[in-house]
Amino acid sequence: MPFSRRRFALASAVSLLGTAGCSGSVDADSLQEVHLVLSNRTDESQTFHFALEADDGLGQWHDFELAAAGYREVVIEPESEREWTGFHAVAGDNQVSGTLLGQGDEQTCLQLNYRITEDEIHATMSTNQSLCES
């Protein structure tokens, strides 16, 4: 079954409604930078799509081209007036989502590492955050 942005947005809206009562959102002005480390482990070029999620919906989608077996680092400066609670990534027919809840009010920089394979996208949140320190 093919995966579309429309289906992804619908699923995100449904999951957002289910978690609307959760507490512990990241402060609106605390997340200033998001560093993405993208690794394409496939034999084909990929378009990687990324969006942050807030209590009031998804932020802007960011699209990045990755060559076959390619590696790329990118920085996103999110809208400061929103309270970011999660993130979503899509490459081909694969998608992954995660939460920012419980990251602490002092969180100003986030580093997410993505490894794209034929079957899925592996997402990890860096606890080292070496890119945030540069």
Side-chain angles (χ1 to χ4, degrees):
M1 177 168 68
F3 188 83
S4 68
R5 282 190 185 184
R6 182 174 293 164
R7 185 175 295 160
F8 180 75
L10 178 61
S12 296
V14 170
S15 67
L16 182 61
L17 289 174
T19 61
C22 294
S23 63
S25 297
V26 176
D27 273 353
D29 56 9
S30 65
L31 187 58
Q32 298 171 8
E33 287 186 344
V34 177
H35 291 260
L36 303 177
V37 177
L38 311 174
S39 177
N40 182 4
R41 303 282 178 96
T42 70
D43 294 334
E44 297 180 10
S45 64
Q46 298 278 336
T47 301
F48 180 83
H49 310 277
F50 178 83
L52 287 169
E53 181 179 10
D55 289 337
D56 61 351
L58 290 177
Q60 177 183 355
W61 281 97
H62 301 273
D63 303 321
F64 307 100
E65 296 299 323
L66 285 169
Y71 174 87
R72 184 171 179 183
E73 294 177 5
V74 295
V75 178
I76 297 171
E77 294 181 8
E79 301 168 54
S80 61
E81 70 276 2
R82 298 187 66 187
E83 294 186 36
W84 302 112
T85 58
F87 58 90
H88 302 281
V90 178
D93 290 337
N94 301 314
Q95 63 99 12
V96 65
S97 299
T99 182
L100 301 178
L101 298 176
Q103 295 305 307
D105 293 338
E106 72 284 350
Q107 185 73 35
T108 60
C109 181
L110 178 65
Q111 182 177 329
L112 297 167
N113 303 319
Y114 289 96
R115 184 176 47 150
I116 302 163
T117 65
E118 296 293 337
D119 299 324
E120 62 186 334
I121 303 172
H122 301 274
T124 56
M125 188 176 300
S126 177
T127 55
N128 184 8
Q129 296 185 346
S130 58
L131 295 177
C132 291
E133 297 168 4
S134 54

